[in-house]
Amino acid sequence: MRVLISTTGTGVGSDEEERRKRLEEMVNGFVEKVVKTFRPDRIVLFYTNETKEMAELIKSNVDINVDEVKIADADDFNLCFETMLKVMKNYSTHELFVNYTYGTKTMSSAMASCAVFVNAHLICVTGERRGGLVRSGLEKVSIFDPYRFRDTITLERVARFFNTHNFDASISEAQNLKAFDRKEDLIKFLTAYKMWDMFKHEEAFRMLREYWKSIDFADKNDVKNNLDFLGRLIDKKKKGDIVEAYKMKLLDLMENAKRRIEVGFYDDAVARLYRATELISQILLKLEGYDDPIVLNVNDMSEKDWKIVEKFEKFVERKDDKIELKLGLMNKLELLSEFGVDLAIKMRDDSKLKDLLRRRNESILAHGFKPILEDDAKRLYEHLLSYVKEIYGRYYEKDFERCRFPKLEVLR
């Protein structure tokens, strides 16, 4: 259904006779140039006490259903905007044509602004003027879509959502862009970081590598650093350099947890920080020559292996000639402490770390129902950083910068 929405005016003149004549010319121009051009199925007229006459004349000159909506104060922009937007939203599923030609400047500006929010076509009656008024019979109808205006608002939302790590909302907003000529590149960019946030490193790297050179809506050096980090992580995985790949994943986990803290998802953040703590123990195990879970061949076990089995007998699962041990975080730290690993000993004896991890165990995402507080999430993050730095080593600072997501600049 086509819906034509219009403001109304009073007509002007030096006396009542001239005003009335001009009003009739306005109505005739509206009917002949606007109504007959767009052939709406329904007309909605916004009127005031002063412009009611024009609304009545239009109704008497068309054989289309006309709805009338009164504006209490034609010079109150907020009132005009709220009234008009509410009405337009009722017709937002239809094709809308919005004529803002008549009425006060306030009514016209409010009408045009509303059109942006409901995806409407804007109409303006123009032509040769005399005394500020379009001459009768010389009217022309201009129609345009305010895509640039609407896109500017949309791009602001895209940047705001991305910068607060709401990637789904950012992508959804970007899909509403109409005239932004880099729309597809932008969506690919946003999607790449969504993939990375989900730890889908290969997909994120592939998308960023393809589009990063055309990117100008984020700092290109930041994006290049991100590509460097992802590329090295993927390369280490492919080459089987598990320890170094785990270290890079550890940084990624910490940065991911930090993003969750920034947007107030403290339970999610602490769940990731717990996984980061466990990953530290897995790295230390790997450095001692063991996977997690620990799998031993009974026909080729060292004295060290037998000591592990003896100490953690209750966790042993025997399968043919294999022995498998699935140890929890604290047991892994206990085992590593038995090996004399200094970092594991520090973590095992760290009462503050144990207390913060206990709060994770009481959270809704673990074994309890207590929500994680902001302070607890931040304290665990900061406390864990010292261990992450120690195990990561030389390039800790640089790589932490390289895995930090960029911020979108204000897009145009």
mmCIF file of all heavy atoms in Angstrom, residues 27-53:
data_model
loop_
_atom_site.group_PDB
_atom_site.id
_atom_site.type_symbol
_atom_site.label_atom_id
_atom_site.label_comp_id
_atom_site.label_asym_id
_atom_site.label_seq_id
_atom_site.Cartn_x
_atom_site.Cartn_y
_atom_site.Cartn_z
ATOM 1 N N VAL A 27 -3.799 23.804 -2.739
ATOM 2 C CA VAL A 27 -4.534 22.540 -2.736
ATOM 3 C C VAL A 27 -4.556 21.942 -4.138
ATOM 4 O O VAL A 27 -4.330 20.738 -4.318
ATOM 5 C CB VAL A 27 -5.970 22.754 -2.211
ATOM 6 C CG1 VAL A 27 -6.811 21.488 -2.410
ATOM 7 C CG2 VAL A 27 -5.949 23.156 -0.740
ATOM 8 N N ASN A 28 -4.858 22.791 -5.137
ATOM 9 C CA ASN A 28 -4.889 22.291 -6.523
ATOM 10 C C ASN A 28 -3.522 21.737 -6.938
ATOM 11 O O ASN A 28 -3.433 20.691 -7.593
ATOM 12 C CB ASN A 28 -5.316 23.414 -7.480
ATOM 13 C CG ASN A 28 -6.762 23.804 -7.300
ATOM 14 O OD1 ASN A 28 -7.577 23.009 -6.818
ATOM 15 N ND2 ASN A 28 -7.108 25.041 -7.672
ATOM 16 N N GLY A 29 -2.471 22.456 -6.573
ATOM 17 C CA GLY A 29 -1.118 21.985 -6.892
ATOM 18 C C GLY A 29 -0.818 20.661 -6.214
ATOM 19 O O GLY A 29 -0.220 19.748 -6.809
ATOM 20 N N PHE A 30 -1.239 20.516 -4.973
ATOM 21 C CA PHE A 30 -1.009 19.280 -4.219
ATOM 22 C C PHE A 30 -1.750 18.122 -4.881
ATOM 23 O O PHE A 30 -1.187 17.041 -5.089
ATOM 24 C CB PHE A 30 -1.475 19.469 -2.772
ATOM 25 C CG PHE A 30 -1.374 18.219 -1.931
ATOM 26 C CD1 PHE A 30 -0.150 17.779 -1.444
ATOM 27 C CD2 PHE A 30 -2.526 17.483 -1.634
ATOM 28 C CE1 PHE A 30 -0.075 16.632 -0.681
ATOM 29 C CE2 PHE A 30 -2.447 16.337 -0.863
ATOM 30 C CZ PHE A 30 -1.225 15.906 -0.378
ATOM 31 N N VAL A 31 -3.025 18.363 -5.220
ATOM 32 C CA VAL A 31 -3.829 17.289 -5.824
ATOM 33 C C VAL A 31 -3.302 16.933 -7.206
ATOM 34 O O VAL A 31 -3.138 15.751 -7.549
ATOM 35 C CB VAL A 31 -5.312 17.702 -5.896
ATOM 36 C CG1 VAL A 31 -6.121 16.668 -6.687
ATOM 37 C CG2 VAL A 31 -5.890 17.876 -4.490
ATOM 38 N N GLU A 32 -3.025 17.943 -8.033
ATOM 39 C CA GLU A 32 -2.628 17.701 -9.421
ATOM 40 C C GLU A 32 -1.199 17.165 -9.538
ATOM 41 O O GLU A 32 -0.926 16.281 -10.348
ATOM 42 C CB GLU A 32 -2.763 18.996 -10.240
ATOM 43 C CG GLU A 32 -4.189 19.453 -10.441
ATOM 44 C CD GLU A 32 -5.013 18.456 -11.246
ATOM 45 O OE1 GLU A 32 -4.466 17.852 -12.200
ATOM 46 O OE2 GLU A 32 -6.194 18.281 -10.907
ATOM 47 N N LYS A 33 -0.289 17.695 -8.737
ATOM 48 C CA LYS A 33 1.124 17.357 -8.891
ATOM 49 C C LYS A 33 1.593 16.230 -7.968
ATOM 50 O O LYS A 33 2.465 15.449 -8.334
ATOM 51 C CB LYS A 33 1.998 18.597 -8.638
ATOM 52 C CG LYS A 33 1.747 19.737 -9.618
ATOM 53 C CD LYS A 33 2.123 19.327 -11.037
ATOM 54 C CE LYS A 33 1.936 20.510 -11.997
ATOM 55 N NZ LYS A 33 2.308 20.157 -13.383
ATOM 56 N N VAL A 34 1.017 16.164 -6.777
ATOM 57 C CA VAL A 34 1.497 15.170 -5.811
ATOM 58 C C VAL A 34 0.606 13.932 -5.802
ATOM 59 O O VAL A 34 1.061 12.819 -6.055
ATOM 60 C CB VAL A 34 1.594 15.775 -4.392
ATOM 61 C CG1 VAL A 34 2.058 14.714 -3.386
ATOM 62 C CG2 VAL A 34 2.549 16.960 -4.376
ATOM 63 N N VAL A 35 -0.698 14.153 -5.566
ATOM 64 C CA VAL A 35 -1.614 13.008 -5.452
ATOM 65 C C VAL A 35 -1.686 12.235 -6.768
ATOM 66 O O VAL A 35 -1.573 11.006 -6.786
ATOM 67 C CB VAL A 35 -3.017 13.478 -5.022
ATOM 68 C CG1 VAL A 35 -3.989 12.291 -5.009
ATOM 69 C CG2 VAL A 35 -2.953 14.123 -3.640
ATOM 70 N N LYS A 36 -1.836 12.952 -7.876
ATOM 71 C CA LYS A 36 -1.977 12.262 -9.154
ATOM 72 C C LYS A 36 -0.661 11.640 -9.634
ATOM 73 O O LYS A 36 -0.673 10.688 -10.414
ATOM 74 C CB LYS A 36 -2.536 13.227 -10.203
ATOM 75 C CG LYS A 36 -3.995 13.586 -9.950
ATOM 76 C CD LYS A 36 -4.597 14.376 -11.096
ATOM 77 C CE LYS A 36 -6.081 14.656 -10.838
ATOM 78 N NZ LYS A 36 -6.716 15.432 -11.938
ATOM 79 N N THR A 37 0.465 12.169 -9.158
ATOM 80 C CA THR A 37 1.762 11.595 -9.534
ATOM 81 C C THR A 37 2.017 10.290 -8.799
ATOM 82 O O THR A 37 2.428 9.291 -9.405
ATOM 83 C CB THR A 37 2.904 12.588 -9.227
ATOM 84 O OG1 THR A 37 2.728 13.760 -10.019
ATOM 85 C CG2 THR A 37 4.266 11.961 -9.529
ATOM 86 N N PHE A 38 1.753 10.274 -7.514
ATOM 87 C CA PHE A 38 2.121 9.110 -6.709
ATOM 88 C C PHE A 38 0.965 8.138 -6.455
ATOM 89 O O PHE A 38 1.195 7.028 -5.977
ATOM 90 C CB PHE A 38 2.730 9.581 -5.372
ATOM 91 C CG PHE A 38 3.996 10.362 -5.568
ATOM 92 C CD1 PHE A 38 3.994 11.748 -5.446
ATOM 93 C CD2 PHE A 38 5.172 9.739 -5.921
ATOM 94 C CE1 PHE A 38 5.144 12.480 -5.654
ATOM 95 C CE2 PHE A 38 6.326 10.459 -6.129
ATOM 96 C CZ PHE A 38 6.321 11.840 -5.991
ATOM 97 N N ARG A 39 -0.241 8.548 -6.754
ATOM 98 C CA ARG A 39 -1.415 7.684 -6.649
ATOM 99 C C ARG A 39 -1.442 6.867 -5.355
ATOM 100 O O ARG A 39 -1.401 5.636 -5.348
ATOM 101 C CB ARG A 39 -1.478 6.737 -7.860
ATOM 102 C CG ARG A 39 -1.552 7.470 -9.186
ATOM 103 C CD ARG A 39 -1.685 6.515 -10.352
ATOM 104 N NE ARG A 39 -1.744 7.230 -11.619
ATOM 105 C CZ ARG A 39 -2.838 7.795 -12.125
ATOM 106 N NH1 ARG A 39 -3.971 7.727 -11.445
ATOM 107 N NH2 ARG A 39 -2.806 8.433 -13.282
ATOM 108 N N PRO A 40 -1.519 7.564 -4.235
ATOM 109 C CA PRO A 40 -1.507 6.845 -2.949
ATOM 110 C C PRO A 40 -2.834 6.128 -2.691
ATOM 111 O O PRO A 40 -3.880 6.488 -3.246
ATOM 112 C CB PRO A 40 -1.296 7.968 -1.934
ATOM 113 C CG PRO A 40 -1.923 9.166 -2.580
ATOM 114 C CD PRO A 40 -1.620 9.028 -4.038
ATOM 115 N N ASP A 41 -2.772 5.123 -1.861
ATOM 116 C CA ASP A 41 -3.983 4.418 -1.418
ATOM 117 C C ASP A 41 -4.584 5.084 -0.189
ATOM 118 O O ASP A 41 -5.751 4.869 0.124
ATOM 119 C CB ASP A 41 -3.638 2.962 -1.081
ATOM 120 C CG ASP A 41 -3.054 2.228 -2.272
ATOM 121 O OD1 ASP A 41 -3.784 2.027 -3.241
ATOM 122 O OD2 ASP A 41 -1.855 1.887 -2.225
ATOM 123 N N ARG A 42 -3.773 5.863 0.501
ATOM 124 C CA ARG A 42 -4.240 6.574 1.691
ATOM 125 C C ARG A 42 -3.407 7.845 1.850
ATOM 126 O O ARG A 42 -2.233 7.871 1.506
ATOM 127 C CB ARG A 42 -4.116 5.697 2.936
ATOM 128 C CG ARG A 42 -4.573 6.359 4.245
ATOM 129 C CD ARG A 42 -4.503 5.373 5.399
ATOM 130 N NE ARG A 42 -5.477 4.318 5.256
ATOM 131 C CZ ARG A 42 -6.750 4.381 5.651
ATOM 132 N NH1 ARG A 42 -7.217 5.495 6.219
ATOM 133 N NH2 ARG A 42 -7.568 3.365 5.488
ATOM 134 N N ILE A 43 -4.065 8.883 2.385
ATOM 135 C CA ILE A 43 -3.381 10.153 2.655
ATOM 136 C C ILE A 43 -3.490 10.442 4.143
ATOM 137 O O ILE A 43 -4.556 10.261 4.752
ATOM 138 C CB ILE A 43 -4.000 11.313 1.851
ATOM 139 C CG1 ILE A 43 -3.825 11.075 0.346
ATOM 140 C CG2 ILE A 43 -3.366 12.651 2.249
ATOM 141 C CD1 ILE A 43 -4.551 12.093 -0.517
ATOM 142 N N VAL A 44 -2.380 10.886 4.730
ATOM 143 C CA VAL A 44 -2.370 11.305 6.139
ATOM 144 C C VAL A 44 -1.945 12.774 6.164
ATOM 145 O O VAL A 44 -0.877 13.128 5.667
ATOM 146 C CB VAL A 44 -1.399 10.455 6.982
ATOM 147 C CG1 VAL A 44 -1.407 10.941 8.439
ATOM 148 C CG2 VAL A 44 -1.762 8.980 6.904
ATOM 149 N N LEU A 45 -2.788 13.623 6.744
ATOM 150 C CA LEU A 45 -2.514 15.057 6.792
ATOM 151 C C LEU A 45 -2.287 15.508 8.233
ATOM 152 O O LEU A 45 -3.095 15.206 9.122
ATOM 153 C CB LEU A 45 -3.692 15.841 6.208
ATOM 154 C CG LEU A 45 -4.050 15.555 4.745
ATOM 155 C CD1 LEU A 45 -5.299 16.341 4.362
ATOM 156 C CD2 LEU A 45 -2.878 15.912 3.815
ATOM 157 N N PHE A 46 -1.192 16.207 8.455
ATOM 158 C CA PHE A 46 -0.935 16.836 9.749
ATOM 159 C C PHE A 46 -1.411 18.286 9.662
ATOM 160 O O PHE A 46 -1.025 19.013 8.743
ATOM 161 C CB PHE A 46 0.550 16.775 10.092
ATOM 162 C CG PHE A 46 1.023 15.397 10.447
ATOM 163 C CD1 PHE A 46 1.689 14.607 9.506
ATOM 164 C CD2 PHE A 46 0.796 14.872 11.707
ATOM 165 C CE1 PHE A 46 2.113 13.335 9.834
ATOM 166 C CE2 PHE A 46 1.219 13.593 12.039
ATOM 167 C CZ PHE A 46 1.875 12.817 11.101
ATOM 168 N N TYR A 47 -2.228 18.680 10.612
ATOM 169 C CA TYR A 47 -2.801 20.016 10.557
ATOM 170 C C TYR A 47 -2.782 20.660 11.946
ATOM 171 O O TYR A 47 -2.599 20.000 12.967
ATOM 172 C CB TYR A 47 -4.242 19.956 10.027
ATOM 173 C CG TYR A 47 -5.228 19.393 11.034
ATOM 174 C CD1 TYR A 47 -5.966 20.250 11.860
ATOM 175 C CD2 TYR A 47 -5.412 18.015 11.177
ATOM 176 C CE1 TYR A 47 -6.865 19.745 12.797
ATOM 177 C CE2 TYR A 47 -6.299 17.506 12.094
ATOM 178 C CZ TYR A 47 -7.029 18.368 12.915
ATOM 179 O OH TYR A 47 -7.892 17.860 13.841
ATOM 180 N N THR A 48 -2.972 21.966 11.954
ATOM 181 C CA THR A 48 -3.154 22.735 13.185
ATOM 182 C C THR A 48 -4.497 23.451 13.085
ATOM 183 O O THR A 48 -5.192 23.346 12.062
ATOM 184 C CB THR A 48 -2.021 23.770 13.359
ATOM 185 O OG1 THR A 48 -2.118 24.712 12.277
ATOM 186 C CG2 THR A 48 -0.656 23.109 13.334
ATOM 187 N N ASN A 49 -4.838 24.193 14.108
ATOM 188 C CA ASN A 49 -6.088 24.965 14.045
ATOM 189 C C ASN A 49 -6.074 25.903 12.841
ATOM 190 O O ASN A 49 -7.094 26.103 12.177
ATOM 191 C CB ASN A 49 -6.274 25.784 15.328
ATOM 192 C CG ASN A 49 -6.644 24.917 16.514
ATOM 193 O OD1 ASN A 49 -7.215 23.838 16.344
ATOM 194 N ND2 ASN A 49 -6.298 25.365 17.719
ATOM 195 N N GLU A 50 -4.896 26.466 12.540
ATOM 196 C CA GLU A 50 -4.782 27.437 11.459
ATOM 197 C C GLU A 50 -4.816 26.771 10.078
ATOM 198 O O GLU A 50 -5.209 27.407 9.092
ATOM 199 C CB GLU A 50 -3.480 28.236 11.596
ATOM 200 C CG GLU A 50 -3.416 29.178 12.804
ATOM 201 C CD GLU A 50 -3.192 28.435 14.122
ATOM 202 O OE1 GLU A 50 -2.691 27.269 14.074
ATOM 203 O OE2 GLU A 50 -3.525 28.995 15.170
ATOM 204 N N THR A 51 -4.386 25.513 9.985
ATOM 205 C CA THR A 51 -4.302 24.856 8.673
ATOM 206 C C THR A 51 -5.414 23.840 8.446
ATOM 207 O O THR A 51 -5.402 23.113 7.449
ATOM 208 C CB THR A 51 -2.934 24.149 8.508
ATOM 209 O OG1 THR A 51 -2.861 23.034 9.410
ATOM 210 C CG2 THR A 51 -1.786 25.099 8.766
ATOM 211 N N LYS A 52 -6.355 23.781 9.350
ATOM 212 C CA LYS A 52 -7.465 22.843 9.213
ATOM 213 C C LYS A 52 -8.211 23.057 7.897
ATOM 214 O O LYS A 52 -8.677 22.098 7.256
ATOM 215 C CB LYS A 52 -8.424 23.025 10.398
ATOM 216 C CG LYS A 52 -9.695 22.179 10.346
ATOM 217 C CD LYS A 52 -9.385 20.706 10.549
ATOM 218 C CE LYS A 52 -10.687 19.921 10.703
ATOM 219 N NZ LYS A 52 -10.458 18.458 10.763
ATOM 220 N N GLU A 53 -8.273 24.297 7.460
ATOM 221 C CA GLU A 53 -8.995 24.624 6.226
ATOM 222 C C GLU A 53 -8.377 23.906 5.030
ATOM 223 O O GLU A 53 -9.106 23.358 4.183
ATOM 224 C CB GLU A 53 -8.977 26.139 6.009
ATOM 225 C CG GLU A 53 -9.816 26.599 4.824
ATOM 226 C CD GLU A 53 -9.800 28.108 4.661
ATOM 227 O OE1 GLU A 53 -8.996 28.787 5.344
ATOM 228 O OE2 GLU A 53 -10.585 28.616 3.830
#
